[in-house]
Amino acid sequence: QSMLTQPPSVSEAPRQRVTISCSGSSSNIGDNTVNWYQQVPGKAPKLLIYYDDLLASGVSDRFSGSKSGTSASLAISGLQSEDEADYYCAAWDDSLNGYVFGTGTKVTVL
Amino acid sequence: QVQLQESGPGLVKPSETLSLTCTVSDASSSASSWSWIRQPPGKGLEWVGYLSYSGRATYNPSLKSRVTMSLDTSKSQFSLRLSSVTAADTAVYYCARVKSGGGVDFYYYMDVWGTGTAVTVSS
């Protein structure tokens, strides 16, 4: 049912930078703000980015969000082993009249 | 910081009703809105529904005919009921606090999450 598409996985060496894309449509990303959540295996999701590019409280400034048109991106700079997790974008969808999550991206630190 | 805790049976029989409760640690959160989210084993997150501070509910269209969410501010709790469950409803269920609003730039996000409770549908 997800209408937000993310790459299944990305990997990079420590201290490098990775970017995760999130592709949507005019009814979700194009019209509403985007959020990003981090989920460490076995744990509850945690809010990272809200309102497209605002850092949630206590989140490292190595994380940053951006949006253009019907797509959004999450960047992680200075990659650390603790960043290994699943990442989900999400946005309200006007057509669905509900909240949609992306397909999720697994980040691996090589 | 407000904390949320889900509770309910971990095993539900097919065709029966799944009932979960989320207890909010901070009674002053009575003006907040809430959501339920679920995650089947090995899969992604699925939004189940939203409950405003006034008790108005909005449900995922794919679950709408089976879902009921309600608020009990006197107990600082809100609940989820999902009827006629099948194995496809087996998941970890999370409750979360919602921040939403705005006009042209509508915003909606979950800033505080419970730890989750696993529910298995099986006879």
Side-chain angles (χ1 to χ4, degrees), chain B residues 63-116:
Chain B
L63 301 170
K64 189 174 183 178
S65 63
R66 299 192 293 128
V67 174
T68 303
M69 294 172 60
S70 59
L71 193 59
D72 188 339
T73 53
S74 66
K75 295 182 180 179
S76 296
Q77 293 179 334
F78 60 99
S79 65
L80 168 70
R81 288 173 57 86
L82 182 65
S83 64
S84 304
V85 297
T86 69
D89 296 310
T90 293
V92 174
Y93 285 76
Y94 297 99
C95 60
R97 186 176 69 178
V98 172
K99 297 289 189 181
S100 67
V104 174
D105 280 334
F106 179 71
Y107 64 91
Y108 181 106
Y109 60 91
M110 283 79 83
D111 67 335
V112 179
W113 293 65
T115 55

Side-chain angles (χ1 to χ4, degrees), chain A residues 19-104:
Chain A
T19 301
I20 301 170
S21 61
C22 175
S23 178
S25 68
S26 58
S27 64
N28 40 64
I29 294 178
D31 224 23
N32 300 303
T33 60
V34 177
N35 315 302
W36 290 89
Y37 301 90
Q38 176 194 59
Q39 186 178 32
V40 173
K43 299 292 187 181
K46 168 189 169 184
L47 179 67
L48 285 181
I49 300 285
Y50 66 102
Y51 217 107
D52 298 338
D53 58 9
L54 299 182
L55 272 181
S57 177
V59 173
S60 170
D61 59 4
R62 296 185 297 105
F63 293 90
S64 62
S66 63
K67 186 177 87 172
S68 178
T70 59
S71 294
S73 294
L74 173 71
I76 312 173
S77 60
L79 205 56
Q80 300 178 2
S81 58
E82 67 199 52
D83 299 331
E84 283 204 336
D86 294 321
Y87 292 82
Y88 295 90
C89 60
W92 188 266
D93 188 282
D94 295 330
S95 297
L96 185 73
N97 193 33
Y99 195 61
V100 290
F101 287 96
T103 48

